[in-house]
Amino acid sequence: MPATKVMWQPWAHNQAFSSGFFVFTAGLISLYYPNLYLAIGNIVIGLIIMAWEKPLPPFKKLDNFWLRGIIYFLFCGAMVWEAPHQTAGLCLLSSSITYIRAAINGEKWTDPTKKPARGGGGGGKGGAGGAAGGAAKAPKS
């Protein structure tokens, strides 16, 4: 059986967006902890990660996986100081490693907000497409 190529970028994207939400939520929770500046910083970091992964207009051109992996790895340093952030930091570390793996494989950014073009056959052996994968159509009368 031939080996299939694993696409790391979609996994990294989903991990990073979820991690950004975890970091944001942990920042909200840690507003009740003594270090208020760390909580506010992590709220901002979580919002930056989610904006970068969405992608919002200021971040649309930043599609370098090496840059994402390294910056997310550096963001993990702010996650080890308080308990609410530690799980979020581990999730962000995982997405950082996955982005670096995508960069090693030479993958390119695919915009998650663009929908693929529809139509054009390719479903079955006959090229008829559709859910049936090449089922015959009824003759026109």
Side-chain angles (χ1 to χ4, degrees):
M1 175 178 276
T4 59
K5 183 179 178 190
V6 175
M7 296 295 294
W8 294 93
Q9 183 269 330
W11 291 100
H13 168 73
N14 291 332
Q15 287 175 345
F17 190 81
S18 300
S19 299
F21 180 74
F22 293 157
V23 171
F24 174 74
T25 306
L28 292 177
I29 291 170
S30 53
L31 286 173
Y32 297 102
Y33 280 67
N35 195 345
L36 186 64
Y37 296 115
L38 186 62
I40 293 171
N42 281 319
I43 289 172
V44 171
I45 287 173
L47 290 174
I48 288 171
I49 293 169
M50 288 189 290
W52 200 355
E53 292 298 326
K54 182 64 183 158
L56 292 180
F59 299 102
K60 280 197 183 273
K61 298 295 180 190
L62 300 173
D63 57 357
N64 186 341
F65 293 156
W66 287 106
L67 181 66
R68 285 179 191 235
I70 291 169
I71 287 178
Y72 290 167
F73 183 76
L74 294 175
F75 280 166
C76 290
M79 310 293 159
V80 298
W81 302 106
E82 288 185 350
H85 300 113
Q86 290 174 353
T87 302
L90 289 174
C91 293
L92 191 59
L93 178 65
S94 173
S95 63
S96 170
I97 292 169
T98 310
Y99 264 127
I100 291 172
R101 177 62 188 197
I104 290 171
N105 284 359
E107 295 181 21
K108 301 293 181 204
W109 173 254
T110 56
D111 190 358
T113 59
K114 288 188 179 177
K115 300 206 187 294
R118 295 189 61 150
K125 294 195 182 233
K137 294 183 179 181
K140 294 180 182 178
S141 47

